[in-house]
Amino acid sequence: MKRHQTLQDLSREHHTALTLALAARRAADSGDPRQVEASARKCGAVFASSLEPHFVVEETTLLPAMARAGEQALVARTLREHDALRALCGELAAGDAATLQRFAELLSAHVRFEERQLFAAAQAALEP
C-alpha cells in the first residue's frame, strides 16, 4: 500500500524493526548463550538509536493527531506497546533467551499492528 507522505518515513523505519525482531527470534531459538547475549546487546543499541526516536516521533506528532481524530483506542494500544517494549528493552541486559523472545515477538506484532491498523486509520484521516 502506498503510504501518505507524512507516514512514509515511519513506515520505512518499520523494516529495521522487523529485521531486528527476526534476528532476535533466531538468536533466542538458537539456545546459544553467546548468540542470545550478542543479540540482546544489538537490540538495546538499535532500540536506543532507532526505535526510541521512532516512538518519540509517533508520540509527539502522529498519536496526538490520531487522538484528535477520535482514535483513542488505537492511540492507547500504541502507547501501551511502546511502554512494554521500553520495559523489555531494559530487561535485555540480563541476556536471557526468554526476554529476548518476548521482545522479538512484541516488536514484530507491534510493527504489524501499526502498519495494518494504526497507519491505515491515520492514512484515512490524512486523506483530503
Side-chain angles (χ1 to χ4, degrees), residues 1 5 13 19 28 30 55 57 62 71 88 103 113 116 121:
M1 165 185 272
Q5 181 180 355
E13 290 169 359
T19 301
S30 75
F55 287 0
V57 168
L62 179 61
E71 296 291 349
L88 282 169
F103 178 82
F113 155 72
R116 293 175 183 161

Side-chain angles (χ1 to χ4, degrees), residues 43-94:
C43 286
V46 172
F47 192 92
S49 67
S50 299
L51 298 178
E52 180 62 30
H54 174 95
F55 287 0
V56 169
V57 168
E58 289 177 341
E59 291 168 0
T60 59
T61 60
L62 179 61
L63 297 181
M66 294 302 293
R68 286 189 300 275
E71 296 291 349
Q72 284 79 8
L74 292 175
V75 170
R77 177 175 173 183
T78 303
L79 291 171
R80 277 193 313 273
E81 290 181 5
H82 284 184
D83 288 346
L85 284 161
R86 286 175 173 124
L88 282 169
C89 185
E91 296 173 22
L92 287 174

Side-chain angles (χ1 to χ4, degrees), residues 11-12 17 24 34 37 39 43 48 50 55 60 82 84-85 101 106 110 118:
S11 191
R12 276 191 288 271
R34 289 178 302 216
E37 185 179 326
S39 184
C43 286
S50 299
F55 287 0
T60 59
H82 284 184
L85 284 161
Q101 184 73 28
L106 180 55
H110 177 69
L118 180 68

